[in-house]
Amino acid sequence: MIYLLRGRQGTPFYSALAVLWCIQNQTKNTFGNAIQRTIGTGIGAVYGLAYILFKMNVASYGDGFGHYFIISLLIIPIIYTTVLFKQKKASYFSCVVFLSIVVNHLTDENPYLFVLKRSLDTLIGILLGLVINSVHIHGAPDKNTLFIANVDMAIMNKGEKLSSYSNVTINSMLESGINMTFSSLCTPASFLESMPDIKPKLPIIAMDGAVLYDIRENRYPKVYVISVIHSGKIEKLIIEKGFNVFTTVILEDVLLRYYKKLINEAEADIYDKLHKSPFRNYLNKERTYDHHVVYMMCIDKTDRIHELVKEIKKEGLDTEVKMLC
């Protein structure tokens, strides 16, 4: 349509190519890409014009092997120029614009006008891609409601990540200004590993409500702790019953997990999978007494775990804590 409105001027193929390369799954990425493509267009156009002028005025060697050999070599300084300008992602566009100029140029046409037309074709595509990616036809987002998504099904399976569809959809919702956060039984580390591209503005609810974790600030604005005396009694009982316990504390916004000895295969398996994470810090030592406990975890066969729960309740130690099996 734009091509027809321009009186069939230009080459719409280059505009269409620019549109496709500028469309992104998030609007914020589209603006960044548009800037990069524009810079890339300028670099490619300058090199293309310089080559045409050189060939017309300095060395006229036709359109044979030498012509295409030199064009191929010029790709190297073009890419390097984008690196010098710290616009590496614009390399592709610089090369496309350059090639569209030097490969198709007709020697009887004004080189300045020809380069201008090719650059204009690309810039029209960039602008159109920006418009398409910024216009939304759905209704206005609800910014007055707090939406909380439970993500345990998505992050419980270690090693699995959020589907591409969910990733794009959630980021689109967050970008539109919807008040959205997430809740999980797991630690913030599980969320960060399974949903690395999701960055909600609001703190997430982790450990089944024991903490709020702000991903952007990398801090815990709210932590509910178990009292020092109470946690000490529970730890003592668990160890006396022959269990190991992973005791989690949060010290100056750093998550520390104490443990003594891995006593079964399941514990060892989970430890091997999790201790390499940069979001978790395992300490094989006695917990410092004044470090307030947030979370305790025991791993064993189901019947033994249920017996342990009964013992904790029998001793009346379940009054200040929430227990989940």
Side-chain angles (χ1 to χ4, degrees):
M1 288 176 62
I2 294 173
Y3 171 66
L4 295 175
L5 290 172
R6 291 178 64 198
R8 298 180 183 271
Q9 296 293 315
T11 307
F13 170 75
Y14 298 115
S15 297
L17 194 66
V19 171
L20 293 173
W21 269 88
C22 281
I23 290 177
Q24 298 292 309
N25 56 22
Q26 295 183 55
T27 305
K28 64 180 181 181
N29 290 346
T30 305
F31 284 101
N33 276 9
I35 293 172
Q36 289 174 358
R37 303 314 185 227
T38 302
I39 294 172
T41 300
I43 293 172
V46 169
Y47 271 95
L49 179 60
Y51 176 74
I52 292 174
L53 292 175
F54 174 80
K55 187 180 176 186
M56 291 177 63
N57 302 313
V58 179
S60 181
Y61 41 79
D63 294 330
F65 176 82
H67 169 65
Y68 293 108
F69 181 73
I70 294 173
I71 287 175
S72 301
L73 287 180
L74 283 173
I75 292 294
I76 298 171
I78 291 172
I79 293 175
Y80 191 62
T81 301
T82 63
V83 174
L84 290 177
F85 280 93
K86 297 182 179 179
Q87 298 293 331
K88 298 177 185 179
K89 293 181 179 179
S91 297
Y92 168 84
F93 245 67
S94 297
C95 295
V96 167
V97 172
F98 169 74
L99 292 172
S100 71
I101 292 170
V102 298
V103 172
N104 297 322
H105 177 247
L106 303 175
T107 55
D108 58 345
E109 187 174 352
N110 184 311
Y112 297 99
L113 187 60
F114 183 83
V115 171
L116 180 62
K117 286 180 179 179
R118 286 293 170 270
S119 301
L120 184 59
D121 289 335
T122 303
L123 292 173
I124 287 173
I126 292 171
L127 180 61
L128 185 57
L130 196 60
V131 171
I132 289 174
N133 223 160
S134 301
V135 174
H136 303 286
I137 59 174
H138 54 67
D142 179 356
K143 297 183 179 180
N144 298 317
T145 304
L146 173 61
F147 295 92
I148 303 175
N150 187 301
V151 293
D152 283 332
M153 290 298 291
I155 69 176
M156 281 295 195
N157 296 323
K158 304 302 179 186
E160 293 188 11
K161 294 186 178 181
L162 203 63
S163 70
S164 297
Y165 174 80
S166 297
N167 206 353
V168 171
T169 304
I170 290 172
N171 273 317
S172 178
M173 294 169 70
L174 293 172
E175 188 181 299
S176 70
I178 287 177
N179 294 310
M180 185 178 187
T181 190
F182 305 87
S183 68
S184 172
L185 295 172
C186 302
T187 62
S190 296
F191 182 93
L192 292 167
E193 290 166 349
S194 300
M195 306 173 72
D197 299 322
I198 306 298
K199 298 290 187 289
K201 295 179 181 178
L202 300 174
I204 64 169
I205 304 163
M207 301 182 194
D208 201 31
V211 300
L212 294 180
Y213 178 69
D214 190 327
I215 291 176
R216 293 170 180 255
E217 297 292 331
N218 189 27
R219 68 185 189 89
Y220 295 84
K222 185 66 177 178
V223 178
Y224 290 97
V225 298
I226 306 169
S227 70
V228 172
I229 295 175
H230 203 79
S231 59
K233 289 179 180 179
I234 296 174
E235 277 180 318
K236 182 180 178 182
L237 176 63
I238 290 173
I239 293 169
E240 286 177 353
K241 297 299 179 182
F243 292 85
N244 175 47
V245 56
F246 292 96
T247 304
T248 300
V249 305
I250 295 173
L251 189 65
E252 296 183 6
D253 291 321
V254 176
L255 189 146
L256 304 174
R257 184 168 283 178
Y258 292 95
Y259 73 101
K260 288 190 175 180
K261 183 181 179 181
L262 303 177
I263 60 175
N264 61 52
E265 189 176 330
E267 278 187 334
D269 181 55
I270 290 178
Y271 172 80
D272 286 341
K273 290 178 180 177
L274 302 185
H275 86 280
K276 300 173 185 176
S277 166
F279 305 113
R280 299 178 180 88
N281 303 281
Y282 283 83
L283 299 174
N284 183 207
K285 60 185 295 185
E286 189 84 26
R287 173 178 62 89
T288 304
Y289 182 75
D290 60 352
H291 287 182
H292 293 279
V293 175
V294 178
Y295 182 79
M296 297 178 181
M297 179 174 69
C298 294
I299 303 165
D300 212 302
K301 292 183 177 180
T302 304
D303 55 348
R304 278 176 49 81
I305 290 294
H306 283 303
E307 286 298 321
L308 179 60
V309 170
K310 288 180 182 178
E311 290 293 331
I312 292 173
K313 289 181 177 179
K314 182 180 176 181
E315 296 295 326
L317 298 175
D318 61 325
T319 54
E320 292 184 22
V321 297
K322 177 189 283 188
M323 291 195 295
L324 298 171
C325 292

